[in-house]
Amino acid sequence: SSLNDGTYDDCTIKVTDNSSNAGNTFTVTSFTVDTSGPTVTSVSANTSNGIFKASDNISVTVTFNETVVVDNSNGNPRIQLETGTNDQYAIYSSGSSSNVLVFNYTVQSGDNSSDLDYKASNSLSLNNGTIKDNANNNATLTLPSPGSSGSLGANKALIIDTTAPVLAEVTAVTTPT
């Protein structure tokens, strides 16, 4: 029979295969059944609120409801950010074996945002990497909707401004002699 997710204490276990062959019975003090993948609870940043220009670095954090393990040997997970004409990515950099992953974004010339956020609730992608829990369940990659509670835009005030000021008008002032 199958068990619901949870922790079971002081159990006697007897395993039987599909041919009804029974194994030895053994007792365990506790075991956990986990068939649910981790989910994102919020997105924020280690970077302080402020205005950022080209070449500045922003450290985006994604918090999960449980410890996650990242395998980036075949590709780095990433988050697509809404940065104007050319959307940029925050690339996974650290946090495996914890519940908070860190993604780094370097502001590029031409990027602009009045309140940095990711593009959509599906902006976190594996990019050939994996994000799983300790029971090997795949993480659900859905982010809070941009601008909603728990999103990067709601949690931080990060302004991206790479547009140089333009001289709009020159006025000559003459002083009577």
Side-chain angles (χ1 to χ4, degrees):
S1 71
S2 63
L3 298 171
N4 293 327
D5 281 10
T7 300
Y8 297 85
D9 297 322
D10 301 320
C11 298
T12 302
I13 298 175
K14 183 176 184 179
V15 178
T16 305
D17 68 14
N18 289 336
S19 298
S20 298
N21 298 310
N24 293 332
T25 300
F26 59 98
T27 303
V28 293
T29 55
S30 178
F31 73 93
T32 301
V33 175
D34 180 2
T35 60
S36 301
T39 58
V40 174
T41 59
S42 71
V43 181
S44 189
N46 289 331
T47 305
S48 298
N49 292 339
I51 301 172
F52 300 89
K53 61 187 182 332
S55 300
D56 287 343
N57 293 306
I58 295 177
S59 177
V60 177
T61 58
V62 177
T63 302
F64 287 85
N65 67 335
E66 65 177 307
T67 298
V68 293
V69 177
V70 177
D71 179 350
N72 62 338
S73 57
N74 292 318
N76 269 332
R78 61 189 185 175
I79 303 169
Q80 187 177 26
L81 302 173
E82 176 55 65
T83 54
T85 304
N86 294 312
D87 294 326
Q88 303 296 341
Y89 288 92
I91 308 297
Y92 167 76
S93 66
S94 64
S96 188
S97 298
S98 75
N99 71 322
V100 179
L101 300 182
V102 178
F103 294 76
N104 288 327
Y105 156 56
T106 301
V107 178
Q108 303 298 308
S109 178
D111 292 357
N112 288 289
S113 175
S114 59
D115 187 6
L116 184 65
D117 214 335
Y118 36 85
K119 195 160 180 65
S121 59
N122 65 350
S123 289
L124 173 56
S125 62
L126 294 174
N127 193 33
N128 295 318
T130 65
I131 302 174
K132 299 182 176 198
D133 66 10
N134 287 321
N136 212 31
N137 297 306
N138 289 319
T140 299
L141 303 179
T142 306
L143 304 173
S145 294
S148 71
S149 177
S151 71
L152 176 60
N155 287 331
K156 298 298 281 194
L158 306 170
I159 300 167
I160 310 300
D161 183 1
T162 64
T163 305
V166 176
L167 183 60
E169 181 179 328
V170 177
T171 305
V173 178
T174 57
T175 307
T177 54

